[in-house]
Amino acid sequence: MGHMVSRTPPIHQTKSSPTHRRVPSPLHPPATAAAMQMQGRLRRVLRAPPPRILLYHAISSPPNGGNGGGGGGGGGGCGSGVAVKQVTRGNMAEALEKLRGRVREAAFVGVDLEMSGVTSAPWRDTFELDRADVRYLKLRDSAERFAALQLGVCPFRWDPAKSAFVAQPHNFYIFPRKELPSDCSSHEFLCQTTSIDFLAKYQFDFNTCFREERMKMNFKEWRDVIVSKPMVDNHLSGNIKCCAGQFQTVFFKMRPAIMLNGFSSHQLKLIQQVLRKNFKDLVFVCTSGEDDTSEKKVVYSDTDEDRILLMKDVQEDLLKNREERVKSAIGIRHVIDLLSSERKLIVGHSCFLDIAQVYSKFVGPLPSSIKEFALSFHKIFPHIADTRHLMSVNQAVQKLMKHKSKSLSSAFSLLCPASYSSVEKPSSHPPVTIEVEGDETTSSCFISGAKHEAGYDAYMTGCIFAQLCAYLGIKFEQFSPLENLATNTKLHKHINFLSPSWNSGTVIDLSTGMERPEPGYMRRFPAAVYDNIIVIWGFPSKVRPKEIKDCICKVFGSGSVTTVFSIDSTAALVQFKKQESVNDFLDLKAVLERADSAISILHPLSTILEGGQTRAAKYDTYRDICSSSESKYLFADQAEAVCATSKNQLGENVDDNLISGVLDGVALASVTEGDGIISDSKNQDIADVTCHDILDALHDGKALLVRRM
Amino acid sequence: MAAPRAAVASAKQVTRQNFAEAVRELGAHLEACDYVAVAAQKTGAPTGWRRALPVDTAETAYLKAKLAAESFQPLQIAVCPFRLRSSSPSTLVAYPYNFHLFPRDELQLGMPSYSFSCQSSYLSTMANDGFDFNMCIYDGISYLSRVQESLARQKIFTPRPQQLLPSPSTSVSDSVFVNRIKSKILHWRKGYADPSKKDDGTLVSSLSRLILGGETYGSRPSMSIDVCSDRQVQLVLEAVNHISDDLVSLVVPHKAGAARSVRVIFTNSKEDKNLLLMDIQKLEDEQNFKFRGFREVIDLLSSSQKPIISYNCLNDMTMLHTKFIAPLPPNLHEFMCSLKMVFSNVVDINHLLRQIGPLRKAKNIQAALSYLQRQYFVPIEIEIPQQDGTSSVTKNEQNVLRITKLFAKLSNLLKISPECQLQSREQCTAVEEYCNIFYPSCVVEGSYDANFAIESDTTETVSTDNIIFLWGFREKSVKELKSYLIGLHQAFSEDFEVKLLDKTCSALIFRDSNTATQLLKEINSEGPSLNRFFSEGLKAAGFEVYRKVCRLGLWDSDLAEVLEDVSSELGVPTLPECSTSQIYWNSALMLDLKEYLEC
């Protein structure tokens, strides 16, 4: 360990999916704790590079260094030699103009995003069992909390002469700077340690990302370039010299001036007073300089008219400066605006989170429901294609991808034969040729794209898309450059469909906002019935999901629990077979907690109730907990925090209902019902509690309650 | 004066490449020094009303420090042991180290930190100052807190050698056990030690391994002996010791903790054994680095018992506690107790500044230093024996050296001496007298204009009863607000002060606590005399509501919003049931740990 210094790409670049964005294999075994799941994925990715890629890299040429402009030679698109244009603030304006033309010419545009993290806590991972609204809440949390660090944009233009696509990958560095003093929404963001570490493994350049600001406003340094000349006004310099040693003489608006540096605010006030009283020809000017600092100067102006002119100039400058800041605050949004206004087909891979990020960072706060989000996103980007979804609609592709990871890199190596020599021809289709076109003029901005960065990922996504189109029977040879690919009859029915998450088992239609089950999705858990689900948290951490199931089954009958799904070490979702069991369980739990008798210790449920911190609630509470803006590491802590702050104090509520319930005998009846299940199941273990035990316990508890009141 | 040069001095940069060596050096320097200065570069600081405010009590200030400590991540921690000699001129010998940290998950257990917050303004300032993020993220040292380490040790088990303890008398059953184990090991060992069998083919050797039940440890043959108690572990070790010198035994803990086995490894020569022992040692060092990492430095600081000098003590100490010791307790008292067990003496420079009249207004270290330079003559010779020779100096190194220098000057002025008890000269104070008194300052880090606050000189203590939180005024300045309020109710014609807490809420501080409580009562009962007050959309609440907001940790929105939420939840006017506490109005507040420890 400990040799990450080498900045050269590792030889066996494992181009598996970045775990912080996409989950590679649907085949990996269910991990108990979400955190472990994350780790597991990461390790799997790093431990097992696809052997074919290793081979490919061994036989292909070494990575093409910086200046790989002018196309990746012949078949183009091979991995490590792709020139990706790096766009930071310095070359933003220029790059934007060129990009506009290229997007306009393009048949489609590949897009990808790198973020500072995905989940703010392990339990915020999306689970297969999650209801659509909960899944959206988790997604929203992620999109709002984390920052986008890179935006990859790669226009693909069809060149009929070459009979090939020409790709121009761009990599935009984004940094959520606080540009405008009034804008306080975007100045704090979260970093997920594993994601940052993951990016680091791929030599992500954090310095470029954070230091980007340096490239800003270079043209403004002219002020400092105009250097000193002997001071015109001698007595002023003598006057102030006594309180500050040295100062810089500069010209401001063609007038001699001195910079006031290193004075305290009190001293500055004094200086202003002195100037006003004694020097009619000196003006105190405060302008905003670089980095939000204000520059104070004393400017010499000889006549009154000149002074008025000067003040006007300063005012205008201030205004211009403010406009500039607004413009630069818009920053990367220009790229989004550009993509949106060209109304081209945008292609992403498993990109629902990406588009949520884009919406949240560049459009506005995410709407409260997934439907609203889909519809308003659709208005801005009318044509989105998701390559992950497209892979599932074609039989031939599905056969090819069978038992393979559907991650970006794995799909790329399987589907894009150009990058792969002709060792294995996956199908009868002639592969679509793709060339990479660089911009020769400024080769310094190009860095080989094998770095697992947004620009390169956008390129890979586009390549996959082009091949998938060929599988769908789209003949690019007959394709005129002006035709809109999005309206192509063969493609049209797959456009604007994407999966809200890798394990949702559904696809959402962005144009209608409706979600429908994804055909061919293999579920690992039986379908969830949300009315039958309770969430339990705060039980002793040594209790395993199996034990939860066993102890509940002892009370409610052996088949009463369909699934126990572990959220993390402190919480689980329990799905009952029957809906009544939900209330029965909550009531019984409350009774057992109120009753101090021995039976509550001997009761089977004491396994999970031990410690007295165990809480249980219906599924809607789980949703409320997920919707909270808090993010504690453990679910139990999160739930407690949410319950403590929410007005209706969830835990208390249950108990209060119960007191009245018990007194009315309602709880009694319901538990007897639960008892009925036991006798139904005819599974009277020795350990099982008999109906009398429970009744006794209830009576004890009731008596105790009455006594207490 | 050597002052301007010292700021350029650089510290020893420590990443995971040179960590082990640096820790060794640091340990030696700590031994030889009197004090340690500590400074940290974090990814952000709380903004808005989440900063410590003049209205905060010690308790709410702690809760805010806790929030900051838990959300932001230290990326560099500078540690500077130094020695002061009061010869004339007094000499300061400092050994600054700058440790680069990154909370990498070395053990794949989701520790030390799942995620952390960053403030973009902080990151850009750092970037402009030349902070190397790549170095930090690629080569930063990871760590686990003490609590995290013990959690990790429960999940990851590494076989390790164990010392053979002098055994008590052996019982009959013990000797039976020992004999059995002995014969088992002897039999197994014979298979390898017997030179006649050396030339066996691979098939034979693998067969014999199968029969003898052996495994391999690396390339060496080994066997496992199951044990069911610590006593048996000792017996096995004893047996192994008796048999031969060429056996090395490792104790393998089992997942459940209780049941374990002993692994016996065969080495074929003395050199081979030494090689194996070295390998094992190396493996253990690597493991320890993964389990402790940078925390080793904290443990060193703790065990050295040297007074720790820091500038923003409450913030820095809560950070050190949550990252390297244990999660922060829910209240100040418990925190103080816990901290005291780790660092017995912590000196807040802010507290020392307050001992010298005019310096109490210094907003930051820089300001205090420049004031001292102008107004006092405190010659100090600074010596920094080890230097990296790098040209760029990070803010963090600068800070720790500034703290060191400032402390040197202050201790000269205040006649604080480390060897006070030994020599008992007159007019000298033990550093312990200044220890463990914290001032949570409201200063924004990173602003280095040498300003002095233009505030009144007096520090007055105000009871929390005198404070009313007011919101619902639309964007008014303090002056506008005050004149606007006067017309609304007679209470406002009395003497009161207004302070904006964030852009939505302000605090009114009344001279007379009766006026405040009376007014609050009227507001809560929505008396008719306040019709205009309400029709203007104004809302108000007492300190209890604010306390509750802080205690619940509702940090996410504007102060007005949360006060509104919580006060509507409390519904009925709650008279302060809690004991009223005091705030130090017009100054940063002071927390005396001793007070908290004695109650």
Side-chain angles (χ1 to χ4, degrees):
Chain A
M1 42 152 281
H3 299 289
M4 306 297 290
V5 256
S6 74
R7 301 286 147 84
T8 48
I11 313 156
H12 58 285
Q13 184 92 36
T14 69
K15 291 185 297 174
S16 282
S17 85
T19 51
H20 59 293
R21 288 179 306 126
R22 279 178 274 271
V23 178
S25 159
L27 299 171
H28 74 76
T32 41
M36 295 303 289
Q37 201 175 337
M38 185 71 182
Q39 300 315 322
R41 261 180 253 152
L42 188 61
R43 254 176 292 154
R44 205 164 303 116
V45 167
L46 297 174
R47 210 189 297 129
R52 287 216 197 83
I53 292 186
L54 265 171
L55 178 72
Y56 156 64
H57 274 277
I59 57 173
S60 73
S61 57
N64 194 348
N67 47 0
C78 76
S80 44
V82 174
V84 177
K85 189 176 171 76
Q86 306 292 320
V87 187
T88 55
R89 259 165 182 255
N91 58 348
M92 174 82 179
E94 165 237 2
L96 199 67
E97 262 332 290
K98 282 193 182 149
L99 183 67
R100 188 180 299 280
R102 287 169 171 176
V103 169
R104 199 162 287 161
E105 289 171 2
F108 62 92
V109 184
V111 166
D112 188 81
L113 216 55
E114 294 288 331
M115 300 154 219
S116 65
V118 172
T119 47
S120 55
W123 56 268
R124 291 238 194 226
D125 246 345
T126 55
F127 304 135
E128 194 184 84
L129 274 180
D130 282 340
R131 194 163 66 190
D133 56 345
V134 169
R135 202 179 302 122
Y136 178 67
L137 285 171
K138 288 179 173 179
L139 183 92
R140 197 172 70 165
D141 174 81
S142 159
E144 282 169 352
R145 234 176 252 274
F146 293 100
L149 299 178
Q150 282 184 343
L151 170 69
V153 177
C154 182
F156 283 76
R157 171 172 57 88
W158 178 253
D159 188 335
K162 291 182 189 160
S163 186
F165 271 110
V166 178
Q168 294 125 330
H170 290 66
N171 192 38
F172 291 87
Y173 280 88
I174 314 172
F175 181 61
R177 227 167 290 91
K178 190 182 174 188
E179 293 279 0
L180 302 171
S182 57
D183 165 38
C184 43
S185 60
S186 65
H187 63 180
E188 204 172 310
F189 63 92
L190 212 59
C191 289
Q192 198 178 343
T193 318
T194 44
S195 295
I196 297 292
D197 199 32
F198 181 86
L199 287 175
K201 287 203 171 79
Y202 288 96
Q203 274 82 39
F204 187 95
D205 188 359
F206 295 96
N207 283 344
T208 318
C209 190
F210 298 139
R211 203 174 286 169
E212 223 211 305
E213 183 142 45
R214 262 274 165 252
M215 304 182 178
K216 153 191 174 187
M217 294 206 220
N218 265 343
F219 66 98
K220 282 209 158 183
E221 282 166 19
W222 65 268
R223 247 180 235 149
D224 304 331
V225 179
I226 304 170
V227 204
S228 51
K229 206 188 128 188
M231 198 45 209
V232 184
D233 198 310
N234 275 325
H235 53 225
L236 175 78
S237 56
N239 189 0
I240 300 183
K241 209 157 219 165
C242 56
C243 37
Q246 288 267 318
F247 33 37
Q248 217 181 336
T249 311
V250 293
F251 278 92
F252 180 69
K253 304 271 175 208
M254 315 282 286
R255 297 166 187 91
I258 46 167
M259 301 279 283
L260 301 175
N261 286 333
F263 290 95
S264 74
S265 55
H266 184 62
Q267 286 169 325
L268 285 171
K269 261 183 207 148
L270 277 176
I271 291 173
Q272 280 186 61
Q273 268 177 21
V274 170
L275 289 179
R276 228 174 291 140
K277 260 192 192 159
N278 304 329
F279 305 98
K280 288 276 174 283
D281 48 358
L282 292 180
V283 187
F284 183 89
V285 173
C286 176
T287 55
S288 58
E290 288 180 62
D291 309 333
D292 238 343
T293 56
S294 59
E295 283 173 4
K296 281 121 190 156
K297 298 181 194 71
V298 176
V299 184
Y300 173 81
S301 86
D302 42 5
T303 61
D304 276 352
E305 299 92 78
D306 188 48
R307 204 156 32 249
I308 292 163
L309 218 70
L310 173 70
M311 289 324 283
K312 217 177 123 195
D313 254 23
V314 170
Q315 287 296 325
E316 270 171 15
D317 245 28
L318 269 176
L319 203 73
K320 232 163 87 188
N321 180 278
R322 211 161 291 165
E323 270 170 16
E324 206 145 89
R325 293 168 71 92
V326 171
K327 225 172 166 180
S328 104
I330 293 170
I332 211 89
R333 218 200 72 211
H334 287 300
V335 181
I336 303 296
D337 287 349
L338 185 160
L339 290 177
S340 164
S341 65
E342 296 297 330
R343 302 180 81 79
K344 289 285 174 180
L345 176 61
I346 306 289
V347 182
H349 184 86
S350 211
C351 63
F352 201 74
L353 179 60
D354 293 16
I355 67 173
Q357 262 285 359
V358 165
Y359 193 97
S360 139
K361 295 291 176 311
F362 307 111
V363 181
L366 283 165
S368 54
S369 79
I370 192 166
K371 188 174 173 180
E372 277 172 73
F373 165 65
L375 292 176
S376 49
F377 190 83
H378 184 65
K379 275 192 203 126
I380 304 161
F381 291 99
H383 314 295
I384 298 272
D386 191 316
T387 44
R388 205 186 154 104
H389 173 69
L390 281 176
M391 287 193 294
S392 69
V393 299
N394 183 282
Q395 292 290 320
V397 179
Q398 266 197 322
K399 216 175 126 195
L400 187 70
M401 299 292 294
K402 208 164 191 181
H403 304 305
K404 301 260 166 51
S405 155
K406 288 200 176 79
S407 72
L408 181 64
S409 49
S410 137
F412 183 71
S413 57
L414 271 168
L415 289 170
C416 301
S419 68
Y420 205 62
S421 71
S422 46
V423 184
E424 188 189 332
K425 270 265 150 61
S427 76
S428 52
H429 293 286
V432 180
T433 330
I434 290 156
E435 284 182 12
V436 180
E437 185 183 271
D439 182 356
E440 272 108 321
T441 52
T442 45
S443 54
S444 62
C445 323
F446 287 101
I447 298 179
S448 163
K451 278 188 169 185
H452 214 313
E453 38 145 59
Y456 184 66
D457 281 2
Y459 164 75
M460 288 205 288
T461 309
C463 292
I464 295 170
F465 176 74
Q467 310 304 334
L468 286 172
C469 282
Y471 277 101
L472 291 172
I474 295 166
K475 300 267 184 293
F476 290 111
E477 286 75 17
Q478 301 152 14
F479 182 78
S480 82
L482 291 172
E483 188 189 336
N484 191 351
L485 192 60
T487 53
N488 187 301
T489 44
K490 285 179 175 129
L491 197 60
H492 184 69
K493 54 177 180 285
H494 306 304
I495 278 189
N496 289 330
F497 283 101
L498 38 122
S499 269
S501 80
W502 66 280
N503 58 0
S504 67
T506 57
V507 277
I508 184 162
D509 181 355
L510 291 182
S511 59
T512 62
M514 302 307 281
E515 232 175 308
R516 62 173 168 75
E518 184 183 351
Y521 179 80
M522 309 280 279
R523 296 194 73 88
R524 286 212 314 272
F525 294 95
V529 184
Y530 297 101
D531 285 339
N532 297 7
I533 291 182
I534 54 162
V535 57
I536 311 181
W537 70 87
F539 47 77
S541 58
K542 60 178 196 292
V543 178
R544 305 273 134 235
K546 176 85 175 58
E547 295 168 67
I548 296 176
K549 186 170 182 170
D550 289 349
C551 82
I552 297 177
C553 282
K554 272 181 195 162
V555 183
F556 288 89
S558 66
S560 57
V561 174
T562 21
T563 337
V564 173
F565 181 84
S566 173
I567 297 171
D568 65 8
S569 63
T570 64
L573 292 170
V574 177
Q575 179 169 345
F576 290 100
K577 198 171 176 186
K578 297 188 176 166
Q579 198 185 329
E580 312 88 79
S581 311
V582 169
N583 281 327
D584 294 349
F585 177 85
L586 293 177
D587 293 347
L588 178 61
K589 174 180 167 288
V591 170
L592 286 172
E593 278 166 355
R594 290 275 157 144
D596 287 338
S597 63
I599 198 74
S600 62
I601 298 161
L602 296 173
H603 195 277
L605 281 187
S606 66
T607 323
I608 46 177
L609 298 185
E610 196 191 317
Q613 300 296 312
T614 310
R615 303 287 194 131
K618 293 183 184 173
Y619 194 80
D620 282 344
T621 307
Y622 175 57
R623 184 203 53 211
D624 295 343
I625 292 166
C626 288
S627 76
S628 158
S629 58
E630 296 243 5
S631 222
K632 305 270 189 214
Y633 179 70
L634 293 175
F635 185 85
D637 295 342
Q638 169 84 9
E640 284 313 305
V642 173
C643 292
T645 56
S646 78
K647 280 163 202 158
N648 48 350
Q649 304 266 315
L650 299 153
E652 288 308 309
N653 231 7
V654 172
D655 285 359
D656 287 347
N657 282 345
L658 195 96
I659 299 171
S660 53
V662 170
L663 293 177
D664 298 345
V666 177
L668 256 174
S670 64
V671 175
T672 333
E673 235 175 80
D675 200 22
I677 299 169
I678 297 174
S679 40
D680 279 350
S681 65
K682 296 199 170 97
N683 184 16
Q684 303 255 351
D685 274 9
I686 309 154
D688 269 357
V689 181
T690 65
C691 146
H692 284 290
D693 286 340
I694 293 173
L695 283 175
D696 286 350
L698 281 173
H699 281 302
D700 279 357
K702 185 177 164 185
L704 223 87
L705 275 174
V706 172
R707 226 177 298 142
R708 235 186 253 158
M709 276 167 185
Chain B
M1 211 179 287
R5 296 261 2 114
V8 198
S10 67
K12 188 182 176 79
Q13 303 299 318
V14 188
T15 62
R16 54 180 179 173
Q17 320 293 352
N18 61 344
F19 180 67
E21 163 209 351
V23 166
R24 245 173 285 127
E25 284 175 27
L26 176 70
H29 288 147
L30 271 175
E31 238 3 82
C33 282
D34 308 319
Y35 309 100
V36 208
V38 175
Q41 172 75 62
K42 285 164 265 186
T43 56
T47 52
W49 68 277
R50 287 164 289 268
R51 287 171 302 161
L53 296 171
V55 290
D56 277 318
T57 61
E59 197 63 50
T60 54
Y62 167 70
L63 291 170
K64 288 176 174 183
K66 177 169 181 273
L67 169 76
E70 283 164 356
S71 26
F72 299 108
Q73 177 67 37
L75 294 181
Q76 286 183 349
I77 291 183
V79 175
C80 178
F82 61 98
R83 207 165 48 221
L84 275 180
R85 288 293 165 264
S86 49
S87 53
S88 79
S90 35
T91 45
L92 161 69
V93 186
Y95 301 92
Y97 291 82
N98 195 22
F99 290 91
H100 296 247
L101 304 188
F102 186 73
R104 201 176 305 99
D105 189 359
E106 300 272 12
L107 296 164
Q108 314 271 316
L109 288 173
M111 293 191 283
S113 128
Y114 187 80
S115 62
F116 55 89
S117 272
C118 295
Q119 216 151 37
S120 44
S121 56
Y122 256 68
L123 294 194
S124 357
T125 318
M126 281 159 80
N128 287 343
D129 293 340
F131 187 93
D132 189 345
F133 288 95
N134 287 343
M135 170 136 128
C136 162
I137 294 166
Y138 296 143
D139 280 340
I141 307 150
S142 191
Y143 57 85
L144 288 185
S145 74
R146 289 183 184 174
V147 168
Q148 284 172 329
E149 181 184 347
S150 65
L151 280 174
R153 296 258 187 219
Q154 286 168 23
K155 285 184 182 150
I156 292 176
F157 307 95
T158 41
R160 39 169 48 189
Q162 192 173 311
Q163 286 300 310
L164 178 62
L165 304 168
S167 73
S169 57
T170 35
S171 66
V172 180
S173 66
D174 281 353
S175 57
V176 170
F177 179 78
V178 169
N179 283 331
R180 196 162 54 81
I181 295 299
K182 253 188 191 165
S183 69
K184 199 172 164 189
I185 296 174
L186 275 172
H187 179 64
W188 166 77
R189 188 179 163 271
K190 222 162 65 191
Y192 297 97
D194 196 344
S196 65
K197 287 189 179 174
K198 273 271 157 75
D199 315 322
D200 280 345
T202 42
L203 177 71
V204 179
S205 70
S206 57
L207 276 178
S208 74
R209 190 177 303 152
L210 204 73
I211 295 159
L212 294 167
E215 304 145 19
T216 53
Y217 182 87
S219 57
R220 299 174 182 89
S222 80
M223 78 178 293
S224 285
I225 295 160
D226 290 331
V227 288
C228 48
S229 68
D230 280 333
R231 174 81 189 127
Q232 287 194 346
V233 170
Q234 286 300 319
L235 291 174
V236 173
L237 292 181
E238 218 178 283
V240 170
N241 255 16
H242 277 281
I243 293 168
S244 164
D245 248 2
D246 55 14
L247 297 177
V248 176
S249 40
L250 294 176
V251 179
V252 184
H254 192 265
K255 295 226 167 182
R260 286 178 290 186
S261 63
V262 177
R263 197 147 197 208
V264 185
I265 303 157
F266 176 77
T267 57
N268 47 32
S269 66
K270 200 152 186 119
E271 295 83 67
D272 191 39
K273 185 180 174 182
N274 284 337
L275 220 63
L276 175 68
L277 288 176
M278 263 160 66
D279 277 356
I280 291 170
Q281 186 57 43
K282 213 175 123 197
L283 206 72
E284 213 182 325
D285 287 349
E286 262 171 40
Q287 280 290 327
N288 278 341
F289 178 69
K290 282 184 179 173
F291 277 113
R292 289 204 276 271
F294 174 75
R295 211 196 71 229
E296 218 147 303
V297 173
I298 300 297
D299 290 345
L300 268 180
L301 291 186
S302 169
S303 61
S304 77
Q305 303 254 340
K306 305 283 174 182
I308 304 224
I309 320 292
S310 161
Y311 179 66
N312 254 330
C313 265
L314 189 64
N315 282 332
D316 281 358
M317 291 304 134
T318 44
M319 184 272 288
L320 291 183
H321 191 282
T322 185
K323 302 290 177 207
F324 307 113
I325 312 298
L328 285 167
N331 60 58
L332 184 61
H333 175 70
E334 281 174 52
F335 166 69
M336 292 309 191
C337 295
S338 175
L339 185 69
K340 190 101 204 232
M341 310 241 273
V342 185
F343 303 122
S344 43
N345 290 317
V346 181
V347 179
D348 192 342
I349 288 273
N350 253 324
H351 177 58
L352 295 186
L353 290 178
R354 256 145 248 270
Q355 307 304 311
I356 299 173
L359 276 175
R360 70 172 67 230
K361 287 183 289 176
K363 267 188 175 169
N364 53 42
I365 315 173
Q366 187 73 321
L369 270 175
S370 64
Y371 182 85
L372 277 179
Q373 191 155 336
R374 279 199 306 272
Q375 304 292 332
Y376 293 84
F377 180 66
V378 194
I380 287 180
E381 237 161 53
I382 300 169
E383 199 185 312
I384 299 170
Q386 53 165 23
Q387 294 222 15
D388 243 14
T390 44
S391 53
S392 65
V393 182
T394 61
K395 269 272 150 63
N396 202 36
E397 300 163 43
Q398 271 179 34
N399 270 346
V400 83
L401 282 168
R402 278 184 187 141
I403 291 173
T404 307
K405 208 162 64 177
L406 186 56
F407 178 79
K409 294 198 171 192
L410 289 171
S411 69
N412 188 312
L413 288 173
L414 295 169
K415 308 226 179 322
I416 302 170
S417 168
E419 61 262 30
C420 184
Q421 300 101 310
L422 305 176
Q423 303 178 359
S424 69
R425 280 179 294 171
E426 17 75 79
Q427 274 198 328
C428 107
T429 344
V431 69
E432 280 76 14
E433 286 188 24
Y434 294 102
C435 276
N436 301 340
I437 299 171
F438 295 171
Y439 286 87
S441 65
C442 322
V443 176
V444 187
E445 272 178 71
S447 80
Y448 283 98
D449 62 335
N451 271 4
F452 275 78
I454 311 170
E455 278 174 359
S456 66
D457 237 344
T458 49
T459 301
E460 40 188 329
T461 51
V462 177
S463 157
T464 50
D465 286 345
N466 296 24
I467 301 174
I468 290 182
F469 290 83
L470 183 83
W471 66 97
F473 51 90
R474 278 159 245 108
E475 312 235 329
K476 285 190 176 61
S477 73
V478 170
K479 229 184 223 163
E480 286 169 346
L481 188 63
K482 200 164 175 181
S483 58
Y484 163 74
L485 283 175
I486 290 172
L488 292 183
H489 191 263
Q490 56 179 25
F492 295 117
S493 56
E494 282 179 49
D495 188 16
F496 71 99
E497 263 187 86
V498 179
K499 190 123 192 164
L500 278 180
L501 303 178
D502 71 352
K503 62 178 193 286
T504 63
C505 184
S506 66
L508 313 181
I509 293 90
F510 288 85
R511 289 275 160 261
D512 182 12
S513 68
N514 277 339
T515 322
T517 38
Q518 202 55 43
L519 179 66
L520 208 58
K521 249 187 211 155
E522 277 186 58
I523 289 171
N524 283 331
S525 59
E526 300 184 12
S529 61
L530 282 156
N531 274 346
R532 270 199 64 206
F533 179 88
F534 289 118
S535 64
E536 294 285 340
L538 289 176
K539 302 265 175 72
F543 198 85
E544 259 333 283
V545 179
Y546 178 70
R547 201 195 303 263
K548 181 154 189 201
V549 163
C550 292
R551 216 174 270 157
L552 287 174
L554 302 171
W555 307 111
D556 278 338
S557 14
D558 287 336
L559 185 53
E561 206 176 302
V562 279
L563 285 174
E564 175 106 38
D565 281 358
V566 172
S567 61
S568 66
E569 189 183 317
L570 286 174
V572 221
T574 43
L575 290 171
E577 322 117 19
C578 258
S579 62
T580 55
S581 1
Q582 294 193 327
I583 62 161
Y584 292 80
W585 182 241
N586 266 359
S587 85
L589 49 157
M590 175 180 95
L591 315 177
D592 189 342
L593 299 211
K594 285 163 201 150
E595 242 169 64
Y596 277 89
L597 291 174
E598 279 152 18
C599 62

